[in-house]
Amino acid sequence: GWVKIVEVGPRDGLQNEKTLVPTEVKIHLIDMLSEAGLPVIEATSFVSPEWVPQMADQVEVMKGINRRPGVSYPVLTPNLKGFQAAVKAGAAEVAIFGAASELFSKKNINCSVDESLQRFEEVTKAAKEAGVRVRGYVSCVLGCPYEGQVSPDKVAQVAKRLYSMGCYEISLGDTIGVGTPGGMAELLEAVSREVPVDALAVHCHDTYGQALANILIALQMGISVVDSSVAGLGGCPYAQGASGNVATEDVVYMLHGLGIQTGVDLPKLMDAGAFICRSLNRKTSSKVAQATCKL
Amino acid sequence: IAIMRFGKTLPERVKIVEVGPRDGLQNEKTVVPSEVKIHLIDMLSEAGLSVIEATSFVSPKWVPQMADQVEVMMGIHRRPGVSYPVLTPNLKGFLAAVNAGAAEVAIFGAASELFSKKNINCSVDESLQRFEVVTKAAKEAGVPVRGYVSCVLGCPYEGKVSPDKVAQVTKRLYSMGCYEISLGDTIGVGTPGGMTEMLQAVSREVPVNALAVHCHDTYGQALANILIALQMGISVVDSSVAGLGGCPYAQGASGNVATEDVVYMLHGLGIQTGVDLPKLMDAGAFICRSLNKKTSSKVAQATCKL
């Protein structure tokens, strides 16, 4: 089998780290990740620097990276304005973020889920005209920091809307990492009734150590696209000191051990992880990187 | 490599074998006083764990951290219905254990010849002969014996380990009287495909309800490996509170999987364990304070208000 890994370290990861890194470091990280064989690398975000100062160098990053043929470098775009800026800066793929929880949507982007989807429809329409691919994300698919339990049907509805408006792929995010394999199975059953499973991806957080088990169940259910973050960059903003994104190295280790191909060169990936951790002056969150067993 | 289809029934109940006080503490750099060990075990009993590995009757010459073995056995408050197995490497250790009040013992084999030689200075076969002396005496004394097999998914010296070798060693332990055999991924290198293959081989020789998995989280694979094992009918899982016990073969790397994280997953799956997670986390917090170290449990680290 084959699994596509969507590397979110340079955007989702760095955006949620306390330390800011200079533009050259971001560019070098992305280049190293390209070298490591990742087919999709989320490069930056065109959300206003007023809200996300860590991504203020968005244009510089887009211009500075060395684009490897066959690799996609999607960027976040919250609205039409961001989309236009992204395309102007050379983006060939964009991403939009919906949520499965009304409270989360209100707190995060100050509008209801429905209002956000209407806003996104403007983006997908413009993207279609410009021939730019759009990836959709749904947050809080297995639980919300404000609402608690989230209904799988609600997630399915939001995923369906994103798919209908033109997203080629929908990434389902366990934003606070509370999900367990049973909940993941239930969720995927509900969503795959509305959206074809090969248009779905999972974005698991490892806040409660459940990510790899959740990913494994997702694979068993036909999912073949997995989001992860090199070195497990990006803590959980809702749980102090807790981890967030699952580490790409750990995901790749499991997939390769299962005989699944990813195109990723694990040693080169670990080099990229070591580089960014040095730059951030932090220890890696990847267990594979921490292990130095001589096998 | 086949991935099991989800849809196989998971067990309704899983027995957790808590190895923190022995396997965990034995592999921590800091040595804790007997009172701390005793209090930890008592807190774990309170948390609802039904099996708690209390100490080891290996000679203190080799394992000084467990030198207070007799004191610990005498000091713990035994909760009715809870078992407190202890390690016994040979007949001498077994006799000392029973003398100190042990009602269950554990013996450790390996699936790798090199590992056996390096660890206990004899071949796998020689170690099994030594253990047969123990199981014979245990049978006469009415003491149940639990068997362990190390390196079931890889060896730090030999590299790959054959599932058939694991099956052979497991079968020997079962035949000589072990009521349960715990299969240990000693260096944590295993992934779910390898776990499946190994369990398939072993369960052809030993009934699956006499098997347990002892997964290390050195490469972050433990929960995924445990999940696959559950799908294959395993219903006994070893773990260590707070993930105590690093990997002696990989500097700075983690070792045992954290009981809190295992329980979180099992409860989320609707599987009963009898464990009270908040009380378990209290025990974890206590021992980490005593060891002056951070917990390795992600559940313990998360303070999300859900």
PDB file of all heavy atoms in Angstrom, chain A residues 248-283:
ATOM      1  N   THR A 248       6.084  13.286  12.524  1.00  0.00           N
ATOM      2  CA  THR A 248       6.189  12.607  11.229  1.00  0.00           C
ATOM      3  C   THR A 248       7.119  11.402  11.299  1.00  0.00           C
ATOM      4  O   THR A 248       6.821  10.351  10.720  1.00  0.00           O
ATOM      5  CB  THR A 248       6.682  13.592  10.140  1.00  0.00           C
ATOM      6  OG1 THR A 248       5.833  14.747  10.145  1.00  0.00           O
ATOM      7  CG2 THR A 248       6.632  12.951   8.755  1.00  0.00           C
ATOM      8  N   GLU A 249       8.231  11.544  12.019  1.00  0.00           N
ATOM      9  CA  GLU A 249       9.179  10.429  12.114  1.00  0.00           C
ATOM     10  C   GLU A 249       8.519   9.178  12.686  1.00  0.00           C
ATOM     11  O   GLU A 249       8.762   8.058  12.233  1.00  0.00           O
ATOM     12  CB  GLU A 249      10.376  10.801  13.010  1.00  0.00           C
ATOM     13  CG  GLU A 249      11.215  11.979  12.530  1.00  0.00           C
ATOM     14  CD  GLU A 249      10.763  13.313  13.106  1.00  0.00           C
ATOM     15  OE1 GLU A 249       9.544  13.573  13.172  1.00  0.00           O
ATOM     16  OE2 GLU A 249      11.642  14.098  13.498  1.00  0.00           O
ATOM     17  N   ASP A 250       7.668   9.371  13.706  1.00  0.00           N
ATOM     18  CA  ASP A 250       7.015   8.230  14.362  1.00  0.00           C
ATOM     19  C   ASP A 250       5.972   7.611  13.441  1.00  0.00           C
ATOM     20  O   ASP A 250       5.795   6.388  13.413  1.00  0.00           O
ATOM     21  CB  ASP A 250       6.380   8.670  15.685  1.00  0.00           C
ATOM     22  CG  ASP A 250       7.405   9.230  16.670  1.00  0.00           C
ATOM     23  OD1 ASP A 250       8.614   9.245  16.350  1.00  0.00           O
ATOM     24  OD2 ASP A 250       7.008   9.669  17.764  1.00  0.00           O
ATOM     25  N   VAL A 251       5.269   8.450  12.687  1.00  0.00           N
ATOM     26  CA  VAL A 251       4.276   7.951  11.735  1.00  0.00           C
ATOM     27  C   VAL A 251       4.978   7.153  10.632  1.00  0.00           C
ATOM     28  O   VAL A 251       4.562   6.044  10.297  1.00  0.00           O
ATOM     29  CB  VAL A 251       3.478   9.116  11.097  1.00  0.00           C
ATOM     30  CG1 VAL A 251       2.570   8.606   9.991  1.00  0.00           C
ATOM     31  CG2 VAL A 251       2.656   9.842  12.155  1.00  0.00           C
ATOM     32  N   VAL A 252       6.042   7.720  10.074  1.00  0.00           N
ATOM     33  CA  VAL A 252       6.780   7.050   8.998  1.00  0.00           C
ATOM     34  C   VAL A 252       7.342   5.721   9.488  1.00  0.00           C
ATOM     35  O   VAL A 252       7.295   4.710   8.781  1.00  0.00           O
ATOM     36  CB  VAL A 252       7.904   7.962   8.452  1.00  0.00           C
ATOM     37  CG1 VAL A 252       8.845   7.195   7.546  1.00  0.00           C
ATOM     38  CG2 VAL A 252       7.292   9.139   7.698  1.00  0.00           C
ATOM     39  N   TYR A 253       7.867   5.707  10.708  1.00  0.00           N
ATOM     40  CA  TYR A 253       8.409   4.467  11.270  1.00  0.00           C
ATOM     41  C   TYR A 253       7.338   3.384  11.296  1.00  0.00           C
ATOM     42  O   TYR A 253       7.578   2.241  10.898  1.00  0.00           O
ATOM     43  CB  TYR A 253       8.943   4.722  12.689  1.00  0.00           C
ATOM     44  CG  TYR A 253       9.588   3.518  13.332  1.00  0.00           C
ATOM     45  CD1 TYR A 253      10.953   3.312  13.225  1.00  0.00           C
ATOM     46  CD2 TYR A 253       8.834   2.573  14.035  1.00  0.00           C
ATOM     47  CE1 TYR A 253      11.556   2.196  13.802  1.00  0.00           C
ATOM     48  CE2 TYR A 253       9.422   1.456  14.608  1.00  0.00           C
ATOM     49  CZ  TYR A 253      10.787   1.285  14.494  1.00  0.00           C
ATOM     50  OH  TYR A 253      11.379   0.176  15.062  1.00  0.00           O
ATOM     51  N   MET A 254       6.144   3.748  11.747  1.00  0.00           N
ATOM     52  CA  MET A 254       5.063   2.770  11.812  1.00  0.00           C
ATOM     53  C   MET A 254       4.655   2.301  10.411  1.00  0.00           C
ATOM     54  O   MET A 254       4.532   1.104  10.146  1.00  0.00           O
ATOM     55  CB  MET A 254       3.827   3.333  12.524  1.00  0.00           C
ATOM     56  CG  MET A 254       2.680   2.311  12.587  1.00  0.00           C
ATOM     57  SD  MET A 254       1.255   2.823  13.565  1.00  0.00           S
ATOM     58  CE  MET A 254       0.398   3.929  12.444  1.00  0.00           C
ATOM     59  N   LEU A 255       4.487   3.257   9.492  1.00  0.00           N
ATOM     60  CA  LEU A 255       4.055   2.911   8.141  1.00  0.00           C
ATOM     61  C   LEU A 255       5.066   2.006   7.448  1.00  0.00           C
ATOM     62  O   LEU A 255       4.712   0.981   6.865  1.00  0.00           O
ATOM     63  CB  LEU A 255       3.814   4.182   7.320  1.00  0.00           C
ATOM     64  CG  LEU A 255       2.671   5.068   7.814  1.00  0.00           C
ATOM     65  CD1 LEU A 255       2.608   6.364   7.007  1.00  0.00           C
ATOM     66  CD2 LEU A 255       1.337   4.349   7.754  1.00  0.00           C
ATOM     67  N   HIS A 256       6.344   2.380   7.520  1.00  0.00           N
ATOM     68  CA  HIS A 256       7.369   1.544   6.883  1.00  0.00           C
ATOM     69  C   HIS A 256       7.411   0.166   7.535  1.00  0.00           C
ATOM     70  O   HIS A 256       7.567  -0.846   6.856  1.00  0.00           O
ATOM     71  CB  HIS A 256       8.733   2.236   6.948  1.00  0.00           C
ATOM     72  CG  HIS A 256       8.849   3.413   6.040  1.00  0.00           C
ATOM     73  ND1 HIS A 256      10.011   4.128   5.850  1.00  0.00           N
ATOM     74  CD2 HIS A 256       7.925   4.013   5.242  1.00  0.00           C
ATOM     75  CE1 HIS A 256       9.802   5.107   4.988  1.00  0.00           C
ATOM     76  NE2 HIS A 256       8.549   5.063   4.603  1.00  0.00           N
ATOM     77  N   GLY A 257       7.248   0.110   8.841  1.00  0.00           N
ATOM     78  CA  GLY A 257       7.228  -1.176   9.546  1.00  0.00           C
ATOM     79  C   GLY A 257       6.061  -2.041   9.077  1.00  0.00           C
ATOM     80  O   GLY A 257       6.148  -3.271   9.054  1.00  0.00           O
ATOM     81  N   LEU A 258       4.977  -1.391   8.666  1.00  0.00           N
ATOM     82  CA  LEU A 258       3.797  -2.104   8.165  1.00  0.00           C
ATOM     83  C   LEU A 258       3.957  -2.479   6.698  1.00  0.00           C
ATOM     84  O   LEU A 258       3.043  -3.057   6.106  1.00  0.00           O
ATOM     85  CB  LEU A 258       2.549  -1.215   8.315  1.00  0.00           C
ATOM     86  CG  LEU A 258       1.939  -1.146   9.708  1.00  0.00           C
ATOM     87  CD1 LEU A 258       1.003   0.052   9.829  1.00  0.00           C
ATOM     88  CD2 LEU A 258       1.178  -2.415  10.029  1.00  0.00           C
ATOM     89  N   GLY A 259       5.096  -2.099   6.094  1.00  0.00           N
ATOM     90  CA  GLY A 259       5.295  -2.403   4.689  1.00  0.00           C
ATOM     91  C   GLY A 259       4.588  -1.420   3.764  1.00  0.00           C
ATOM     92  O   GLY A 259       4.400  -1.686   2.582  1.00  0.00           O
ATOM     93  N   ILE A 260       4.172  -0.280   4.323  1.00  0.00           N
ATOM     94  CA  ILE A 260       3.485   0.733   3.523  1.00  0.00           C
ATOM     95  C   ILE A 260       4.500   1.751   3.021  1.00  0.00           C
ATOM     96  O   ILE A 260       5.355   2.219   3.775  1.00  0.00           O
ATOM     97  CB  ILE A 260       2.416   1.456   4.373  1.00  0.00           C
ATOM     98  CG1 ILE A 260       1.310   0.466   4.760  1.00  0.00           C
ATOM     99  CG2 ILE A 260       1.832   2.650   3.640  1.00  0.00           C
ATOM    100  CD1 ILE A 260       0.325   1.021   5.777  1.00  0.00           C
ATOM    101  N   GLN A 261       4.418   2.089   1.755  1.00  0.00           N
ATOM    102  CA  GLN A 261       5.359   3.062   1.184  1.00  0.00           C
ATOM    103  C   GLN A 261       4.870   4.482   1.384  1.00  0.00           C
ATOM    104  O   GLN A 261       3.654   4.744   1.375  1.00  0.00           O
ATOM    105  CB  GLN A 261       5.531   2.794  -0.312  1.00  0.00           C
ATOM    106  CG  GLN A 261       6.241   1.472  -0.584  1.00  0.00           C
ATOM    107  CD  GLN A 261       6.567   1.321  -2.047  1.00  0.00           C
ATOM    108  OE1 GLN A 261       7.111   2.236  -2.642  1.00  0.00           O
ATOM    109  NE2 GLN A 261       6.230   0.184  -2.616  1.00  0.00           N
ATOM    110  N   THR A 262       5.844   5.395   1.565  1.00  0.00           N
ATOM    111  CA  THR A 262       5.487   6.802   1.771  1.00  0.00           C
ATOM    112  C   THR A 262       6.319   7.720   0.882  1.00  0.00           C
ATOM    113  O   THR A 262       5.994   8.887   0.708  1.00  0.00           O
ATOM    114  CB  THR A 262       5.779   7.239   3.218  1.00  0.00           C
ATOM    115  OG1 THR A 262       7.190   7.106   3.458  1.00  0.00           O
ATOM    116  CG2 THR A 262       5.027   6.379   4.230  1.00  0.00           C
ATOM    117  N   GLY A 263       7.430   7.196   0.341  1.00  0.00           N
ATOM    118  CA  GLY A 263       8.345   8.037  -0.425  1.00  0.00           C
ATOM    119  C   GLY A 263       9.291   8.818   0.463  1.00  0.00           C
ATOM    120  O   GLY A 263      10.157   9.548  -0.021  1.00  0.00           O
ATOM    121  N   VAL A 264       9.138   8.664   1.772  1.00  0.00           N
ATOM    122  CA  VAL A 264       9.950   9.458   2.694  1.00  0.00           C
ATOM    123  C   VAL A 264      11.235   8.718   3.059  1.00  0.00           C
ATOM    124  O   VAL A 264      11.238   7.519   3.308  1.00  0.00           O
ATOM    125  CB  VAL A 264       9.154   9.764   3.981  1.00  0.00           C
ATOM    126  CG1 VAL A 264      10.029  10.488   5.005  1.00  0.00           C
ATOM    127  CG2 VAL A 264       7.929  10.585   3.653  1.00  0.00           C
ATOM    128  N   ASP A 265      12.331   9.473   3.077  1.00  0.00           N
ATOM    129  CA  ASP A 265      13.633   8.973   3.502  1.00  0.00           C
ATOM    130  C   ASP A 265      13.756   9.318   4.993  1.00  0.00           C
ATOM    131  O   ASP A 265      13.966  10.487   5.343  1.00  0.00           O
ATOM    132  CB  ASP A 265      14.719   9.673   2.661  1.00  0.00           C
ATOM    133  CG  ASP A 265      16.125   9.243   3.030  1.00  0.00           C
ATOM    134  OD1 ASP A 265      16.396   9.008   4.225  1.00  0.00           O
ATOM    135  OD2 ASP A 265      16.965   9.169   2.125  1.00  0.00           O
ATOM    136  N   LEU A 266      13.600   8.322   5.848  1.00  0.00           N
ATOM    137  CA  LEU A 266      13.541   8.597   7.289  1.00  0.00           C
ATOM    138  C   LEU A 266      14.794   9.266   7.852  1.00  0.00           C
ATOM    139  O   LEU A 266      14.671  10.235   8.602  1.00  0.00           O
ATOM    140  CB  LEU A 266      13.182   7.315   8.061  1.00  0.00           C
ATOM    141  CG  LEU A 266      12.941   7.440   9.576  1.00  0.00           C
ATOM    142  CD1 LEU A 266      11.928   8.532   9.927  1.00  0.00           C
ATOM    143  CD2 LEU A 266      12.440   6.111  10.150  1.00  0.00           C
ATOM    144  N   PRO A 267      16.001   8.813   7.493  1.00  0.00           N
ATOM    145  CA  PRO A 267      17.175   9.523   8.003  1.00  0.00           C
ATOM    146  C   PRO A 267      17.213  11.001   7.610  1.00  0.00           C
ATOM    147  O   PRO A 267      17.547  11.857   8.422  1.00  0.00           O
ATOM    148  CB  PRO A 267      18.341   8.746   7.381  1.00  0.00           C
ATOM    149  CG  PRO A 267      17.798   7.382   7.156  1.00  0.00           C
ATOM    150  CD  PRO A 267      16.354   7.580   6.786  1.00  0.00           C
ATOM    151  N   LYS A 268      16.839  11.298   6.368  1.00  0.00           N
ATOM    152  CA  LYS A 268      16.827  12.702   5.933  1.00  0.00           C
ATOM    153  C   LYS A 268      15.753  13.487   6.671  1.00  0.00           C
ATOM    154  O   LYS A 268      15.935  14.665   7.015  1.00  0.00           O
ATOM    155  CB  LYS A 268      16.596  12.806   4.421  1.00  0.00           C
ATOM    156  CG  LYS A 268      17.819  12.428   3.599  1.00  0.00           C
ATOM    157  CD  LYS A 268      17.617  12.729   2.117  1.00  0.00           C
ATOM    158  CE  LYS A 268      18.909  12.366   1.357  1.00  0.00           C
ATOM    159  NZ  LYS A 268      18.718  12.467  -0.109  1.00  0.00           N
ATOM    160  N   LEU A 269      14.628  12.831   6.923  1.00  0.00           N
ATOM    161  CA  LEU A 269      13.559  13.479   7.685  1.00  0.00           C
ATOM    162  C   LEU A 269      14.052  13.795   9.087  1.00  0.00           C
ATOM    163  O   LEU A 269      13.804  14.880   9.629  1.00  0.00           O
ATOM    164  CB  LEU A 269      12.337  12.556   7.742  1.00  0.00           C
ATOM    165  CG  LEU A 269      11.188  13.014   8.628  1.00  0.00           C
ATOM    166  CD1 LEU A 269      10.566  14.295   8.097  1.00  0.00           C
ATOM    167  CD2 LEU A 269      10.128  11.922   8.746  1.00  0.00           C
ATOM    168  N   MET A 270      14.784  12.856   9.682  1.00  0.00           N
ATOM    169  CA  MET A 270      15.297  13.075  11.030  1.00  0.00           C
ATOM    170  C   MET A 270      16.322  14.211  11.051  1.00  0.00           C
ATOM    171  O   MET A 270      16.399  14.954  12.037  1.00  0.00           O
ATOM    172  CB  MET A 270      15.875  11.764  11.585  1.00  0.00           C
ATOM    173  CG  MET A 270      14.749  10.805  11.967  1.00  0.00           C
ATOM    174  SD  MET A 270      15.280   9.135  12.373  1.00  0.00           S
ATOM    175  CE  MET A 270      16.175   9.413  13.879  1.00  0.00           C
ATOM    176  N   ASP A 271      17.064  14.361   9.953  1.00  0.00           N
ATOM    177  CA  ASP A 271      17.993  15.496   9.857  1.00  0.00           C
ATOM    178  C   ASP A 271      17.218  16.806   9.909  1.00  0.00           C
ATOM    179  O   ASP A 271      17.625  17.760  10.577  1.00  0.00           O
ATOM    180  CB  ASP A 271      18.779  15.436   8.534  1.00  0.00           C
ATOM    181  CG  ASP A 271      19.850  14.353   8.563  1.00  0.00           C
ATOM    182  OD1 ASP A 271      20.189  13.878   9.668  1.00  0.00           O
ATOM    183  OD2 ASP A 271      20.335  13.984   7.479  1.00  0.00           O
ATOM    184  N   ALA A 272      16.113  16.859   9.165  1.00  0.00           N
ATOM    185  CA  ALA A 272      15.281  18.064   9.156  1.00  0.00           C
ATOM    186  C   ALA A 272      14.748  18.343  10.558  1.00  0.00           C
ATOM    187  O   ALA A 272      14.726  19.485  11.023  1.00  0.00           O
ATOM    188  CB  ALA A 272      14.126  17.910   8.170  1.00  0.00           C
ATOM    189  N   GLY A 273      14.325  17.289  11.244  1.00  0.00           N
ATOM    190  CA  GLY A 273      13.819  17.437  12.609  1.00  0.00           C
ATOM    191  C   GLY A 273      14.888  17.937  13.547  1.00  0.00           C
ATOM    192  O   GLY A 273      14.653  18.821  14.379  1.00  0.00           O
ATOM    193  N   ALA A 274      16.095  17.391  13.414  1.00  0.00           N
ATOM    194  CA  ALA A 274      17.206  17.815  14.273  1.00  0.00           C
ATOM    195  C   ALA A 274      17.536  19.280  14.016  1.00  0.00           C
ATOM    196  O   ALA A 274      17.769  20.054  14.949  1.00  0.00           O
ATOM    197  CB  ALA A 274      18.424  16.938  14.017  1.00  0.00           C
ATOM    198  N   PHE A 275      17.518  19.665  12.743  1.00  0.00           N
ATOM    199  CA  PHE A 275      17.800  21.055  12.373  1.00  0.00           C
ATOM    200  C   PHE A 275      16.822  22.027  13.016  1.00  0.00           C
ATOM    201  O   PHE A 275      17.210  23.024  13.642  1.00  0.00           O
ATOM    202  CB  PHE A 275      17.767  21.218  10.851  1.00  0.00           C
ATOM    203  CG  PHE A 275      17.667  22.655  10.403  1.00  0.00           C
ATOM    204  CD1 PHE A 275      18.772  23.506  10.515  1.00  0.00           C
ATOM    205  CD2 PHE A 275      16.471  23.175   9.916  1.00  0.00           C
ATOM    206  CE1 PHE A 275      18.679  24.840  10.136  1.00  0.00           C
ATOM    207  CE2 PHE A 275      16.370  24.510   9.536  1.00  0.00           C
ATOM    208  CZ  PHE A 275      17.463  25.346   9.649  1.00  0.00           C
ATOM    209  N   ILE A 276      15.527  21.753  12.867  1.00  0.00           N
ATOM    210  CA  ILE A 276      14.540  22.712  13.385  1.00  0.00           C
ATOM    211  C   ILE A 276      14.536  22.739  14.911  1.00  0.00           C
ATOM    212  O   ILE A 276      14.318  23.771  15.538  1.00  0.00           O
ATOM    213  CB  ILE A 276      13.120  22.469  12.794  1.00  0.00           C
ATOM    214  CG1 ILE A 276      12.208  23.643  13.083  1.00  0.00           C
ATOM    215  CG2 ILE A 276      12.499  21.182  13.306  1.00  0.00           C
ATOM    216  CD1 ILE A 276      12.681  24.988  12.506  1.00  0.00           C
ATOM    217  N   CYS A 277      14.842  21.595  15.539  1.00  0.00           N
ATOM    218  CA  CYS A 277      14.879  21.591  17.005  1.00  0.00           C
ATOM    219  C   CYS A 277      16.063  22.407  17.513  1.00  0.00           C
ATOM    220  O   CYS A 277      15.959  23.107  18.521  1.00  0.00           O
ATOM    221  CB  CYS A 277      14.922  20.160  17.540  1.00  0.00           C
ATOM    222  SG  CYS A 277      13.309  19.347  17.374  1.00  0.00           S
ATOM    223  N   ARG A 278      17.192  22.306  16.792  1.00  0.00           N
ATOM    224  CA  ARG A 278      18.337  23.133  17.164  1.00  0.00           C
ATOM    225  C   ARG A 278      17.961  24.609  17.038  1.00  0.00           C
ATOM    226  O   ARG A 278      18.237  25.408  17.930  1.00  0.00           O
ATOM    227  CB  ARG A 278      19.537  22.848  16.248  1.00  0.00           C
ATOM    228  CG  ARG A 278      20.386  21.683  16.668  1.00  0.00           C
ATOM    229  CD  ARG A 278      21.743  21.681  15.968  1.00  0.00           C
ATOM    230  NE  ARG A 278      21.654  21.836  14.518  1.00  0.00           N
ATOM    231  CZ  ARG A 278      21.516  20.838  13.655  1.00  0.00           C
ATOM    232  NH1 ARG A 278      21.429  19.597  14.091  1.00  0.00           N
ATOM    233  NH2 ARG A 278      21.471  21.067  12.349  1.00  0.00           N
ATOM    234  N   SER A 279      17.310  24.954  15.927  1.00  0.00           N
ATOM    235  CA  SER A 279      16.931  26.355  15.695  1.00  0.00           C
ATOM    236  C   SER A 279      15.951  26.861  16.742  1.00  0.00           C
ATOM    237  O   SER A 279      15.967  28.028  17.112  1.00  0.00           O
ATOM    238  CB  SER A 279      16.304  26.516  14.310  1.00  0.00           C
ATOM    239  OG  SER A 279      17.096  25.918  13.321  1.00  0.00           O
ATOM    240  N   LEU A 280      15.078  25.978  17.195  1.00  0.00           N
ATOM    241  CA  LEU A 280      14.086  26.363  18.191  1.00  0.00           C
ATOM    242  C   LEU A 280      14.619  26.196  19.611  1.00  0.00           C
ATOM    243  O   LEU A 280      13.955  26.565  20.573  1.00  0.00           O
ATOM    244  CB  LEU A 280      12.831  25.492  18.052  1.00  0.00           C
ATOM    245  CG  LEU A 280      11.919  25.771  16.857  1.00  0.00           C
ATOM    246  CD1 LEU A 280      10.958  24.605  16.653  1.00  0.00           C
ATOM    247  CD2 LEU A 280      11.120  27.061  17.084  1.00  0.00           C
ATOM    248  N   ASN A 281      15.792  25.620  19.704  1.00  0.00           N
ATOM    249  CA  ASN A 281      16.386  25.311  21.001  1.00  0.00           C
ATOM    250  C   ASN A 281      15.421  24.488  21.869  1.00  0.00           C
ATOM    251  O   ASN A 281      15.140  24.814  23.023  1.00  0.00           O
ATOM    252  CB  ASN A 281      16.789  26.595  21.744  1.00  0.00           C
ATOM    253  CG  ASN A 281      17.695  26.304  22.924  1.00  0.00           C
ATOM    254  OD1 ASN A 281      18.438  25.319  22.924  1.00  0.00           O
ATOM    255  ND2 ASN A 281      17.621  27.133  23.943  1.00  0.00           N
ATOM    256  N   ARG A 282      14.902  23.426  21.293  1.00  0.00           N
ATOM    257  CA  ARG A 282      13.999  22.552  22.035  1.00  0.00           C
ATOM    258  C   ARG A 282      14.308  21.094  21.703  1.00  0.00           C
ATOM    259  O   ARG A 282      14.919  20.802  20.678  1.00  0.00           O
ATOM    260  CB  ARG A 282      12.534  22.850  21.703  1.00  0.00           C
ATOM    261  CG  ARG A 282      12.146  22.581  20.276  1.00  0.00           C
ATOM    262  CD  ARG A 282      10.629  22.455  20.098  1.00  0.00           C
ATOM    263  NE  ARG A 282      10.207  21.060  20.146  1.00  0.00           N
ATOM    264  CZ  ARG A 282       8.965  20.635  20.065  1.00  0.00           C
ATOM    265  NH1 ARG A 282       7.974  21.498  19.986  1.00  0.00           N
ATOM    266  NH2 ARG A 282       8.664  19.361  20.086  1.00  0.00           N
ATOM    267  N   LYS A 283      13.852  20.221  22.595  1.00  0.00           N
ATOM    268  CA  LYS A 283      14.041  18.799  22.330  1.00  0.00           C
ATOM    269  C   LYS A 283      12.954  18.335  21.357  1.00  0.00           C
ATOM    270  O   LYS A 283      11.843  18.842  21.362  1.00  0.00           O
ATOM    271  CB  LYS A 283      13.906  17.998  23.633  1.00  0.00           C
ATOM    272  CG  LYS A 283      15.078  18.142  24.572  1.00  0.00           C
ATOM    273  CD  LYS A 283      15.101  17.010  25.609  1.00  0.00           C
ATOM    274  CE  LYS A 283      16.360  17.136  26.473  1.00  0.00           C
ATOM    275  NZ  LYS A 283      16.069  17.292  27.888  1.00  0.00           N
TER     276      LYS A 283
END
